[in-house]
Amino acid sequence: MEDEKIEDIEIRLLLEALYRRYHYDFRNYAQASIKRRLRQARDRQGVATYSALQDKLLHDPAAAAGVLRFLTVQVSDFFRDPTYFKAIREKVVPHLKTYPSLKVWIAGCSAGEELHSLAILFREEGLEDRTLFYATDINQDALEAASRGIYPLDRMKAFTENYRLSGGKASLSDYYSTGYGGAVFDKSLRERVVLSDHSLVTDAVFSEMQLISCRNVMIYFDRDLQDRAVGLFRDSLGRGGFLGLGSKETLRFSEHVDAFSEFVREEKIYQRRKA
């Protein structure tokens, strides 16, 4: 028990140091996830305690970058949870087609799998030319991977099945070629994309979005931080805009729930109320 208390103190001090030294704020992330990831980072850095890890990251930006990679690592797929994309295609897109121009924000875009999925979906629905995509993450490595658009070939079979189940209208292979040891997705899919470093914890709103997709991100936040992120989404959406959280997250307990109505309940797609 005593060891656990000391460990908790060390972790709080380490997260405070990371925030004060580098302005990355993980102080209100869910503790179970943070502890698991910090344990991996500590072991990788070859130190015995979190205090030693704190000392290392305070004096070595490269070590801090290594810790940050563990804290922000995310794994995603193309058309992950196909029923979510099917709902976007069949129920949200008809509304989006009424707008002359569109802005879409993929918050916590990781290595770009969801960004490319939405870009393909919007192309097939005739919306790509009028859409500007904003894809954000705090992990620079992830943003660079998203900008390259290269993914392991051994994942293409699963991605292709997801695409089919999501209601894809062509073949996923139409959108990529092989090279550089992987599947290289057509760079034209990224022509209307702005990739940006943005933190849901400390940064400000984007304005007048028609669709925000943020899945498997807020599960790592505590309640206060979840409320901050949802408030950010509320203020970033135009009236009648859509917020997609995916089946694992909900607005039910958010202090901002009254700003939204359920649009596709099972996929946790919400619409900002118009009044």
Side-chain angles (χ1 to χ4, degrees), residues 5 18 26 29 46 61 74 90 97 99 112 125 128 149 151 158 197 204 217 219 221 235-236 241-242 253 272 274:
K5 289 180 179 177
L18 187 63
F26 294 90
Y29 274 52
Q74 296 174 31
E90 295 181 351
K97 285 184 175 179
Y99 290 86
E125 296 299 330
E128 183 186 28
Y151 301 93
D197 182 344
V217 176
I219 55 175
F221 296 171
D235 295 341
S236 297
F242 297 91
F253 305 108
R272 187 181 174 191
K274 297 180 180 177

Side-chain angles (χ1 to χ4, degrees), residues 119-138:
I120 290 169
L121 190 157
F122 273 53
R123 176 175 293 185
E124 293 181 351
E125 296 299 330
L127 292 174
E128 183 186 28
D129 290 343
R130 71 177 92 163
T131 302
L132 188 59
F133 296 94
Y134 295 87
T136 65
D137 206 286
I138 62 172

Side-chain angles (χ1 to χ4, degrees), residues 35-215:
K35 286 182 178 179
R36 184 179 68 254
R37 293 176 182 220
L38 280 177
R39 189 178 304 119
Q40 294 170 339
R42 182 194 62 190
D43 294 345
R44 177 61 64 89
Q45 292 288 338
V47 293
T49 67
Y50 295 111
S51 296
L53 183 61
Q54 176 187 321
D55 181 70
K56 195 167 185 177
L57 70 84
L58 277 173
H59 298 95
D60 182 359
V67 172
L68 187 64
R69 279 194 287 273
F70 277 98
L71 291 176
T72 59
V73 64
Q74 296 174 31
V75 177
S76 189
D77 294 329
F78 272 62
F79 296 94
R80 183 179 186 178
D81 302 324
T83 53
Y84 174 79
F85 287 94
K86 195 174 181 67
I88 294 287
R89 186 188 293 270
E90 295 181 351
K91 298 180 180 178
V92 176
V93 161
H95 292 265
L96 298 182
K97 285 184 175 179
T98 65
Y99 290 86
S101 63
L102 295 164
K103 292 197 288 187
V104 174
W105 178 14
I106 299 98
C109 69
S110 189
E113 292 91 338
E114 183 151 329
L115 164 65
H116 285 86
S117 301
L118 284 173
I120 290 169
L121 190 157
F122 273 53
R123 176 175 293 185
E124 293 181 351
E125 296 299 330
L127 292 174
E128 183 186 28
D129 290 343
R130 71 177 92 163
T131 302
L132 188 59
F133 296 94
Y134 295 87
T136 65
D137 206 286
I138 62 172
N139 187 320
Q140 286 295 332
D141 291 343
L143 290 172
E144 289 173 12
S147 72
R148 291 191 296 271
I150 303 173
Y151 301 93
L153 279 171
D154 61 8
R155 298 177 69 190
M156 288 304 112
K157 182 177 181 180
F159 292 174
T160 298
E161 179 63 4
N162 284 350
Y163 168 73
R164 185 186 68 80
L165 293 172
S166 76
K169 294 182 175 180
S171 168
L172 188 63
S173 62
D174 293 343
Y175 300 100
Y176 68 83
S177 57
T178 58
Y180 304 99
V184 184
F185 277 77
D186 189 341
K187 63 181 180 181
S188 67
L189 291 168
R190 300 183 292 282
E191 286 181 350
R192 300 186 63 78
V193 172
V194 176
L195 289 160
S196 177
D197 182 344
H198 181 277
S199 169
L200 296 173
V201 181
T202 56
D203 290 333
V205 300
F206 287 75
S207 62
E208 291 299 312
M209 297 287 152
Q210 280 72 47
L211 171 64
I212 297 173
S213 188
C214 181
R215 300 191 301 150

Side-chain angles (χ1 to χ4, degrees), residues 222-233:
D222 69 8
R223 183 62 53 77
D224 289 343
L225 195 49
Q226 288 176 355
D227 278 337
R228 186 191 192 280
V230 174
L232 203 61
F233 298 149

